[in-house]
């Protein structure tokens, strides 16, 4: 019975879609996921987190990140971010608290994005990510053809206008995510400064009270007169 369970786990369900970019069988659908993602992730100390994004050829790939919170001894917010093509060739690198890696996809496949926190061995990092791929909808060579269709066919003109509008909305969505990154980072910074001011003020108050008590104690010791037990003649 145990052997059957192990074989079922290794083989997996037969109806699951393939995740390879080029599948030999045309019966099973190709699983690609969404074209863009935005989320936050916590990277442990000394760890590396990688993600894979599927993209077609001649696409615009974007990858932006911002370290919103960092813990540890130095509290350094610098992190190493890399992007590689399906063959493993590195397309971009960034080592800062925030950065962007943009490039054109020259082949179809899964592109790898990695965040390296190995320089920080004593604390985790809270990183906000925004990555994906978008397509212009029409290339430069067919631009004149599209312009002619725009004049001759009303439906084609509406379709081209909708594509342009979708592209503008997409870029507005990207700027909105940039604002969310900065907002989260500023929020963590404000909370950290607030806690720092509270703890520092409390420590200073304790030092002031302790110094006053010690001064009073030593002054009292100076004026203490020890009475002698001997009788005076």
């Amino acid at each position: 019975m145990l052997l059957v369970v192990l074989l079922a786990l290794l083989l997996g369900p037969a109806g699951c879609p393939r995740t390879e970019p080029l599948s030999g069988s045309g019966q099973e659908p190709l699983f690609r996921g969404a074209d863009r993602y935005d989320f936050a992730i916590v990277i442990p100390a000394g760890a590396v987190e990688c993600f894979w994004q599927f993209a077609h050829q001649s696409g615009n790939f974007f990858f932006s990140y911002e370290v919103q919170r960092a813990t540890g001894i130095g509290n350094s917010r610098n992190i190493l971010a890399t992007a590689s093509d399906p063959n493993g060739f590195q397309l971009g690198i960034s080592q800062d608290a925030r950065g962007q890696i943009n490039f054109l996809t020259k082949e179809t496949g899964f592109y790898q994005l990695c965040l390296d926190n190995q320089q920080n061995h004593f604390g985790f990092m809270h990183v906000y990510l925004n990555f994906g791929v978008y397509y212009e909808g029409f290339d430069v060579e067919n631009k004149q053809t599209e312009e002619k269709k725009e004049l001759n066919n009303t439906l084609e003109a509406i379709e081209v206008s909708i594509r342009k509008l979708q592209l503008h909305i997409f870029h507005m969505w990207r700027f909105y995510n940039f604002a969310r990154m900065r907002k989260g980072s500023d929020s963590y910074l404000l909370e950290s400064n607030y806690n720092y001011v509270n703890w520092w003020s409390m420590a200073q108050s304790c030092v002031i009270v302790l110094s006053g008590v010690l001064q009073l104690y030593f002054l009292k010791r100076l004026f203490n007169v020890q009475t002698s037990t001997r009788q005076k003649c």
Side-chain angles (χ1 to χ4, degrees):
M1 183 65 182
L2 181 60
L3 180 59
V4 174
V5 174
L6 290 176
L7 288 175
L9 292 176
L10 291 175
L11 295 177
C16 291
R18 294 182 182 270
T19 56
E20 289 84 359
L22 297 176
S23 177
S25 175
Q27 298 178 357
E28 298 178 353
L30 179 64
F31 177 75
R32 296 171 183 169
D35 287 334
R36 57 182 182 266
Y37 294 92
D38 61 295
F39 57 89
I41 184 174
V42 175
I43 302 178
V48 180
E49 294 288 343
C50 293
F51 307 91
W52 285 264
Q53 172 66 39
F54 181 84
H56 288 285
Q57 190 178 6
S58 301
N60 297 282
F61 202 102
F62 63 93
F63 173 41
S64 58
Y65 70 93
E66 178 160 354
V67 180
Q68 297 181 329
R69 185 183 181 186
T71 61
I73 298 177
N75 287 332
S76 176
R77 295 173 56 200
N78 293 339
I79 192 169
L80 178 63
T82 58
S84 304
D85 64 359
N87 297 322
F89 181 74
Q90 193 174 89
L91 299 175
I93 184 171
S94 176
Q95 189 171 9
D96 205 345
R98 67 176 63 93
Q100 295 186 48
I101 301 176
N102 303 319
F103 53 89
L104 296 176
T105 57
K106 296 182 179 180
E107 56 183 310
T108 302
F110 285 93
Y111 289 79
Q112 185 184 42
L113 310 172
C114 291
L115 295 172
D116 190 347
N117 190 27
Q118 291 186 351
Q119 291 185 354
N120 188 1
H121 299 282
F122 302 99
F124 65 88
M125 285 190 178
H126 186 273
V127 187
Y128 190 92
L129 300 176
N130 179 24
F131 62 89
V133 59
Y134 66 95
Y135 308 93
E136 295 291 343
F138 51 91
D139 52 12
V140 180
E141 296 179 357
N142 297 329
K143 189 173 181 180
Q144 295 181 355
T145 306
E146 294 292 344
E147 290 178 353
K148 291 179 181 178
K149 289 182 180 179
E150 195 173 335
L151 296 175
N152 298 329
N153 196 322
T154 305
L155 294 178
E156 292 292 338
I158 294 175
E159 183 180 358
V160 173
S161 299
I162 291 176
R163 288 178 181 176
K164 292 180 179 179
L165 180 61
Q166 289 178 345
L167 187 61
H168 291 316
I169 292 175
F170 169 75
H171 286 297
M172 290 180 64
W173 173 82
R174 288 192 63 192
F175 288 126
Y176 169 72
N177 278 283
F178 291 152
R180 287 181 61 189
M181 289 183 184
R182 298 302 301 271
K183 180 182 178 182
S185 178
D186 293 340
S187 176
Y188 281 114
L189 181 61
L190 182 63
E191 182 180 358
S192 177
N193 291 337
Y194 176 77
N195 294 330
Y196 174 78
V197 170
N198 285 340
W199 283 105
W200 186 246
S201 300
M202 187 180 299
Q204 284 185 332
S205 300
C206 293
V207 169
I208 292 173
V209 172
L210 182 61
S211 63
V213 171
L214 291 176
Q215 287 179 0
L216 182 62
Y217 173 76
F218 285 113
L219 286 174
K220 188 177 180 181
R221 287 285 304 271
L222 291 176
F223 291 100
N224 281 343
V225 178
Q226 296 181 356
T227 56
S228 178
T229 56
R230 297 179 180 179
Q231 294 182 356
K232 295 182 180 181
C233 295

